[in-house]
Every structure is written in structure tokens, then in C-alpha cells.
Amino acid sequence: MKKLILVMLVTLVGLSVQAQEKKQEKNKNAKYEINVNGNCDQCKKRIEKAAYSVKGVKSAQWHQDHHDMHLIIDETKCSIDDVHAAVAKAGHDTDKVKAKDEDYENLHSCCQYERL
């Protein structure tokens, strides 16, 4: 009886550990959509270049009409927060990270969008 209980306990612990490991797995083709402020084609090039500068970004497409960027990233190499930070460093506000004033001021005058 003791052996049966011990076997069941070990089995439950093993299943529990395996379930936790699956939760922590990172997606190599994670899809995200983030909002990024900008105005023109020059902004599009800058925003996408900033996103691609993050190791692990596989695809980045910014849409001027909706101010959103569609991303595919390898979460084993980067996080979505890394992309937000890189785009903000380029001078463009995202829905999570606001660009520093000095980075925004360095944008060309046609690229300076209305900040809220």
C-alpha cells in the first residue's frame, strides 16, 4: 500500500513539473500588434528599422493609416518590451512606452506627430 501511494505521489509531482515547463516555453513565432505614433513614409522606415534592430524580430510592418505595427518575434531571443523600447528610442511613442523628449525632438518636422 505504501509503495502504491509513493508511486502515485511521484507520478503527480512529475506531471506537475512537466505542466509548468510547458507554460514557460517561449513561442518562436509569436504575433503581436502594437500602436506606434507616426505620420509618413519616413516614419514607417524608421519605425520598422528600429523594430528590426531587436534581435529576434522576424517581421515588422507599420501601417500609417491605423498607426499599428504587426510583429512576429522569436520570444526565445527577445520580448515585446524590447521592441517597444527600441521604437521609443527612435523617437516614436508606443502604447506602452513614451519616447524621451530629446528623441522625439530629433525627428524631422514632418515626422513630429501630436503627442498626448
Side-chain angles (χ1 to χ4, degrees):
M1 183 70 175
K2 288 182 182 181
K3 287 183 181 180
L4 179 62
I5 293 174
L6 182 62
V7 168
M8 290 177 65
L9 184 62
V10 169
T11 303
L12 287 174
V13 170
L15 290 174
S16 175
V17 169
Q18 186 178 15
Q20 288 178 355
E21 286 176 4
K22 284 189 176 188
K23 283 184 181 180
Q24 294 174 355
E25 285 182 20
K26 306 273 182 160
N27 188 346
K28 291 189 176 186
N29 289 308
K31 294 180 182 181
Y32 290 95
E33 183 177 315
I34 64 173
N35 291 321
V36 182
N37 291 323
N39 292 330
C40 60
D41 286 336
Q42 194 174 5
C43 294
K44 177 179 175 62
K45 290 177 187 172
R46 186 181 311 104
I47 291 166
E48 290 176 357
K49 183 178 179 180
Y52 279 117
S53 73
V54 177
K55 183 180 178 185
V57 172
K58 294 181 173 185
S59 174
Q61 293 180 332
W62 182 72
H63 301 279
Q64 181 178 341
D65 52 347
H66 295 107
H67 294 254
D68 62 350
M69 183 163 48
H70 298 272
L71 295 162
I72 299 175
I73 66 170
D74 181 344
E75 291 179 323
T76 64
K77 296 181 180 177
C78 69
S79 71
I80 192 65
D81 293 336
D82 297 334
V83 178
H84 280 279
V87 171
K89 179 80 174 134
H92 294 272
D93 295 342
T94 72
D95 50 354
K96 285 189 177 180
V97 179
K98 184 176 179 179
K100 292 181 180 178
D101 289 338
E102 60 211 35
D103 293 330
Y104 173 77
E105 304 277 330
N106 288 332
L107 294 176
H108 189 271
S109 60
C110 76
C111 296
Q112 292 185 348
Y113 49 90
E114 186 176 332
R115 294 180 99 178
L116 302 175

